[in-house]
Amino acid sequence: GAGVSQSPSNKVTEKGKDVELRCDPISGHTALYWYRQSLGQGLEFLIYFQGNSAPDKSGLPSDRFSAERTGGSVSTLTIQRTQQEDSAVYLCASSLRRRSSYNEQFFGPGTRLTVL
Amino acid sequence: AQKVTQAQTEISVVEKEDVTLDCVYETRDTTYYLFWYKQPPSGELVFLIRRNSFDEQNEISGRYSWNFQKSTSSFNFTITASQVVDSAVYFCALSEVGGGFKTIFGAGTRLFVKA
């Protein structure tokens, strides 16, 4: 079956522009995560969606960042008025979340964002 | 608060050597999960193992083994007889049941295995 897919794979934008990054999780996975990985760094948690519950937005670095998940499937991460420090690889992951159990996350290939 | 520390930034070994990657975590929760992920040069993270806080039994999978010790809050990963294909960045991660569902990752350890 298909894994997690992300688009675009690369995005170059000018400072101040808005960008949208897309994530298609594995079919049937109820949990979806967004992370940011700066060059040579670890993964920084951004946001988590689980089913119809309110998302955990505690990792979003500023109000320029937002995300939504439509129909419990596809998710879009939007960065408004991009800054050079937003340059990073944005990773999406999904998992089959069961009650009181944390399952492994399946990661997409990421979107490399470069803000000039 | 959750925290994961991988003190080793980079490790370089020669093929066939054994290597241990350290992971130390901090949590106030009694129920939590620990993970190891591998990120090869191709970039996609791959799940290796999950452990819950009530299961301290060590695990071996082929050349990989994991040592979970709650007394020292450590979850170390050993690769026996390393191979060039093991070259990657390895991440340790923690999820607290009481902390929502976010997963906190360590900074990663980059492993170079030379032929």
Side-chain angles (χ1 to χ4, degrees):
Chain A
V4 177
S5 61
Q6 293 186 246
S7 61
S9 55
N10 278 285
K11 177 71 176 179
V12 180
T13 190
E14 293 179 350
K15 178 181 172 181
K17 301 279 189 182
D18 297 350
V19 295
E20 284 190 353
L21 312 180
R22 177 188 168 102
C23 172
D24 281 272
I26 292 174
S27 178
H29 280 194
T30 56
L32 188 147
Y33 302 77
W34 282 99
Y35 297 91
R36 179 168 68 176
Q37 186 174 28
S38 300
L39 186 62
Q41 302 297 310
L43 276 70
E44 176 189 3
F45 167 80
L46 297 178
I47 189 169
Y48 164 80
F49 295 92
Q50 168 57 34
N52 296 320
S53 302
D56 178 349
K57 304 178 182 180
S58 60
L60 295 178
S62 78
D63 58 8
R64 296 186 296 104
F65 288 72
S66 63
E68 63 177 22
R69 189 179 185 191
T70 54
S73 180
V74 172
S75 177
T76 302
L77 177 68
T78 301
I79 308 173
Q80 295 178 312
R81 305 180 303 283
T82 52
Q83 304 294 312
Q84 288 182 331
E85 60 263 30
D86 298 335
S87 296
V89 176
Y90 289 82
L91 294 169
C92 176
S94 69
S95 72
L96 188 59
R97 167 105 176 86
R98 294 191 181 93
R99 184 183 175 84
S100 300
S101 172
Y102 285 75
N103 292 304
E104 64 270 26
Q105 295 174 35
F106 294 82
F107 284 81
T111 294
R112 183 177 297 278
L113 175 66
T114 304
V115 182
L116 302 176
Chain B
Q2 304 167 272
K3 186 178 179 181
V4 177
T5 301
Q6 294 181 255
Q8 304 149 307
T9 304
E10 289 187 1
I11 300 175
S12 184
V13 299
V14 177
E15 215 172 13
K16 298 184 183 177
E17 283 186 19
D18 299 347
V19 58
T20 295
L21 310 181
D22 298 333
C23 174
V24 174
Y25 62 92
E26 294 179 26
T27 178
R28 296 178 188 166
D29 218 335
T30 56
T31 305
Y32 52 89
Y33 289 77
L34 295 163
F35 304 82
W36 275 95
Y37 287 85
K38 173 182 179 180
Q39 186 175 37
S42 63
E44 286 195 40
L45 278 92
V46 176
F47 165 80
L48 295 178
I49 190 172
R50 177 188 65 175
R51 260 288 176 267
N52 73 55
S53 51
F54 298 109
D55 182 5
E56 284 194 75
Q57 191 171 22
N58 292 327
E59 182 158 338
I60 298 175
S61 176
R63 296 184 297 107
Y64 295 171
S65 62
W66 290 270
N67 184 332
F68 177 26
Q69 294 197 350
K70 289 179 74 171
S71 61
T72 56
S73 297
S74 65
F75 186 42
N76 296 337
F77 172 31
T78 297
I79 301 174
T80 303
S82 59
Q83 299 176 2
V84 172
V85 293
D86 296 328
S87 296
V89 181
Y90 292 86
F91 292 96
C92 181
L94 164 70
S95 293
E96 293 175 334
V97 171
F101 301 111
K102 65 184 180 185
T103 302
I104 300 299
F105 283 76
T109 297
R110 184 177 297 276
L111 174 65
F112 294 97
V113 181
K114 296 179 285 190

